[in-house]
Amino acid sequence: MLRTVRAVAGHWTTALPVLAVVLLALSWGRSLPGPIVTLVACFLAGAVLAAVHHAEVVAHRVGEPFGSLVLAVAVTIIEVALIVTLMTDGGDKAASLARDTVFAAVMITCNGIVGLSLLIGAVRRRVAVFNAEGTSAAFGTVATLAGLSLVVPTFTTSKPGPEFAPAQLGFAALAAMVLYGLFVATQTVRHRDYFLPVTSSGKVVDEDDHADPPTRRVALISLGLLALALVGVVGLAKGVSPTIEAGVAAAGLPAAVVGIVIALLVLLPETIAAVRAARRDRVQTSLNLGLGSAMASIGLTIPAVAAASIWLDGPLILGLGATHMVLLALTMIVGTLTVIPGRATLLQGALHLALLAAYLELAVTP
């Protein structure tokens, strides 16, 4: 056992999360010159790869769907902390920060991660196979949370603008927490078999046979290192954000592009983990990661910003504009048609990726 722990401790995936957090502590709140930004970017990429490794170790120990849930919730909790911290700094951008970040996460996960996973699964099997019951439940929850939190505020009349009144915001936060809690209970307790990978014949795969599960001690070490890696990923992403902002401004692009770039960086661990799962014919695991991340992003961010709004000054804009509502509606319609059969071809994966491309294009040229 001691030999195994030492082997884990001596691995690069152990050193990089620690070094990333040390670099984060040294660079936090400082203006970084070009060479230091390059160094931060290198450690950011290393922390992403380390996070994926430790997430897979934990997932292999606890099994599905718990492994996907651990990574999705861990990333989202740190992301929410970052959002609240940035909102505390104030400024005009803080008013729509939560909306822009959550919507970017929904589009990247529901179209990017899901589309890429289906595409890879279909290339390997000709048809990507997944569990329709579990995936449709997840997609329905994402649609409900997104509609209540991001669409309804655009049409309420108690306050001018796309904002909730205090009572409405409280209801949205409570609904988000309750629905997310119910989904987690459904996913992990009552209907766990709905969220397990399936073979092309429909047989549920309840174990990962590519290696023996890690010991409990090794899994706990990886869980701690996963947390460190994710802190490094999100913190270093914030550290390079001024450079990203300057580059975006120099290119004459809208300020919203900065949020998308940071969201892409933060969601890299889940994206890489989903791609690896799809390559191992575990498309359901990939969908659990993508949809679970979208759900956690809404279900944890909205209650957090609702609580933060008690002491934060200024408006809290949550309602989407017309263009983004159309993209969200298309995502939900296409996603529903994709998950109902429990099987998808290259076409379905390409449709989701096309929607993501449209979102990115319209962000650059609104």
Side-chain angles (χ1 to χ4, degrees):
M1 175 68 69
L2 183 59
R3 185 181 302 171
T4 304
V5 174
R6 285 176 178 172
V8 173
H11 203 269
W12 67 269
T13 55
T14 299
L16 267 175
V18 177
L19 293 175
V21 172
V22 171
L23 181 60
L24 173 61
L26 294 175
S27 61
W28 184 262
R30 300 184 180 183
S31 179
L32 304 179
I36 301 300
V37 170
T38 303
L39 179 65
V40 168
C42 293
F43 274 90
L44 172 60
V48 167
L49 296 176
V52 173
H53 168 79
H54 291 298
E56 290 183 340
V57 172
V58 174
H60 194 28
R61 171 66 187 183
V62 300
E64 279 297 316
F66 300 99
S68 302
L69 185 64
V70 167
L71 180 57
V73 173
V75 169
T76 306
I77 288 176
I78 298 173
E79 182 183 356
V80 169
L82 176 61
I83 292 172
V84 174
T85 300
L86 293 175
M87 290 180 65
T88 305
D89 294 339
D92 296 335
K93 296 180 182 178
S96 60
L97 177 64
R99 178 199 64 186
D100 295 340
T101 305
V102 169
F103 184 65
V106 170
M107 295 301 291
I108 292 168
T109 52
C110 291
N111 288 316
I113 296 179
V114 169
L116 194 58
S117 301
L118 295 177
L119 200 66
I120 294 172
V123 167
R124 291 185 61 85
R125 287 188 176 184
R126 296 180 61 86
V127 175
V129 181
F130 49 89
N131 199 317
E133 289 88 347
T135 308
S136 61
F139 211 89
T141 307
V142 171
T144 302
L145 290 174
L148 289 177
S149 302
L150 301 178
V151 176
V152 172
T154 304
F155 300 99
T156 55
T157 57
S158 296
K159 289 189 69 174
E163 299 179 50
F164 271 139
Q168 295 169 338
L169 182 60
F171 170 78
L174 180 62
M177 288 190 296
V178 170
L179 290 176
Y180 184 63
L182 285 174
F183 174 80
V184 171
T186 301
Q187 184 184 36
T188 59
V189 181
R190 295 186 63 88
H191 299 286
R192 176 173 172 263
D193 56 315
Y194 287 0
F195 300 89
L196 296 175
V198 294
T199 64
S200 56
S201 60
K203 180 182 177 182
V204 174
V205 180
D206 197 9
E207 60 182 9
D208 197 345
D209 55 2
H210 74 282
D212 294 331
T215 63
R216 181 182 179 185
R217 183 176 298 184
V218 171
L220 288 175
I221 292 173
S222 283
L223 182 61
L225 291 172
L226 171 63
L228 280 179
L230 293 177
V231 168
V233 169
V234 179
L236 294 178
K238 182 181 183 297
V240 300
S241 62
T243 303
I244 298 174
E245 290 176 357
V248 168
L253 300 175
V257 174
V258 176
I260 296 174
V261 173
I262 294 177
L264 288 169
L265 291 173
V266 171
L267 289 170
L268 260 181
E270 288 150 309
T271 304
I272 296 175
V275 167
R276 287 186 175 183
R279 290 178 62 185
R280 299 194 338 259
D281 290 336
R282 300 292 189 266
V283 175
Q284 183 62 50
T285 300
S286 302
L287 299 181
N288 290 345
L289 281 166
L291 298 178
S293 298
M295 204 180 310
S297 182
I298 305 173
L300 299 179
T301 301
I302 299 303
V305 298
S309 66
I310 297 175
W311 70 83
L312 294 178
D313 296 328
L316 177 60
I317 298 175
L318 290 177
L320 295 173
T323 302
H324 284 170
M325 280 193 288
V326 170
L327 289 174
L328 181 62
L330 282 172
T331 298
M332 296 304 136
I333 293 171
V334 173
T336 301
L337 296 175
T338 297
V339 303
I340 286 176
R343 303 166 70 87
T345 64
L346 289 171
L347 176 60
Q348 278 88 0
L351 291 175
H352 284 282
L353 292 176
L355 288 173
L356 176 64
Y359 166 65
L360 297 176
E361 167 63 22
L362 291 172
V364 174
T365 55

